[in-house]
Amino acid sequence: SYDLTQPPSVSVSPGQTASISCSGDRLGDKYASWYQQKPGQSPVMVIYQDKKRPSGIPERFSGSNSGNTATLTISGTQAMDEADYYCLARDSTTVVFGGGTKLTVL
Amino acid sequence: EVQLVESGGGLVQPGGSLRLSCAASGFTFSNYWMSWVRQAPGKGLEWVANIKQDGNEKNYVDSVKGRFTISRDNAKNSLFLQLNSLRAEDTAVYYCARDEAGDYNTEFHYWGQGTLVTVSS
């Protein structure tokens, strides 16, 4: 089975840049997407097809994907960005989520 | 406006069955793959199953193969998930999501609010 690995937690100071990684075998050959989930809410997609932003998602969210690692970057992180973040990729006919990363804005 | 509204969750005993529904509106339902995604309490997201536009292709995560069945009714803009032989570890919030499946990509632009399934005696 295909696995995606994320760090359990990342901390960042307000206004700084947060980077969340997602690792998988030859992940760069697949498309990655990223989801933000706040407590008690449904997930919201913040990046798709590696680096595209859905309408309504702030420009401070960006993505990249190369080799074995996809990265979600949040520039000028705000308190409202504190949430769990999940990466996703498809391997053949199976859809896989990473284990999730709790982003704390201290 | 795209809307996905799940229903059918509840408390069920181990070994029991449940049928989840997802009512879709605001888009041409028959043009899209659809998926179910679940989240156990305090845990991460887990993709469960998806179904092609015409219902002729279905895929499942290994842990539910042979127990869960995904289906759809395009005339009624509805997605379903039949859960059989339920186990405690199936306890989760189940989300319906519009699956933007392409040749190489899958992404979920729209999600429902989820319905809670609790498996317990």
Side-chain angles (χ1 to χ4, degrees):
Chain A
S1 65
Y2 191 76
D3 293 321
L4 293 174
T5 300
Q6 298 180 232
S9 62
V10 168
S11 297
V12 63
S13 300
Q16 299 303 302
T17 297
S19 295
I20 299 173
S21 62
C22 173
S23 299
D25 184 46
R26 301 179 67 174
L27 180 56
D29 293 340
K30 311 178 192 300
Y31 277 119
S33 52
W34 290 89
Y35 302 83
Q36 175 194 69
Q37 187 180 34
K38 297 181 179 180
Q41 297 183 17
S42 299
V44 172
M45 188 175 68
V46 294
I47 292 289
Y48 68 103
Q49 291 179 28
D50 296 340
K51 56 186 178 182
K52 296 180 180 179
R53 262 182 304 105
S55 61
I57 299 301
E59 290 184 8
R60 64 179 180 274
F61 288 86
S62 62
S64 63
N65 186 14
S66 179
N68 294 321
T69 304
T71 303
L72 173 69
T73 302
I74 309 173
S75 305
T77 307
Q78 299 183 9
M80 67 173 64
D81 301 329
E82 186 164 286
D84 294 326
Y85 290 86
Y86 298 89
C87 60
L88 175 153
R90 193 178 83 196
D91 179 55
S92 183
T93 59
T94 300
V95 179
V96 180
F97 282 97
T101 298
K102 181 176 183 59
L103 177 67
T104 301
V105 182
L106 331 136
Chain B
E1 177 193 7
V2 172
Q3 285 201 316
L4 299 169
V5 180
E6 303 93 335
S7 60
L11 175 63
V12 60
Q13 293 188 340
S17 297
L18 215 53
R19 189 191 196 209
L20 307 183
S21 300
C22 171
S25 61
F27 66 101
T28 305
F29 181 73
S30 59
N31 284 354
Y32 291 89
W33 283 75
M34 295 295 295
S35 271
W36 287 99
V37 176
R38 69 183 177 181
Q39 186 170 36
K43 302 297 184 182
L45 300 173
E46 179 183 40
W47 172 79
V48 174
N50 65 4
I51 185 168
K52 196 175 178 180
Q53 291 93 328
D54 59 7
N56 286 337
E57 184 176 340
K58 305 173 185 181
N59 302 296
Y60 299 90
V61 68
D62 285 348
S63 59
V64 308
K65 284 179 181 175
R67 300 189 301 122
F68 291 8
T69 302
I70 190 171
S71 62
R72 64 192 297 161
D73 183 339
N74 286 343
K76 296 184 178 179
N77 294 334
S78 294
L79 176 72
F80 305 101
L81 187 66
Q82 178 68 40
L83 291 67
N84 295 334
S85 303
L86 281 162
R87 307 166 180 167
E89 55 264 36
D90 296 318
T91 294
V93 173
Y94 285 74
Y95 295 100
C96 161
R98 196 174 87 174
D99 187 337
E100 315 279 339
D103 288 342
Y104 303 103
N105 61 296
T106 285
E107 59 244 6
F108 302 131
H109 289 246
Y110 296 98
W111 298 67
Q113 85 290 348
T115 187
L116 176 62
V117 172
T118 303
V119 184
S120 174
S121 55

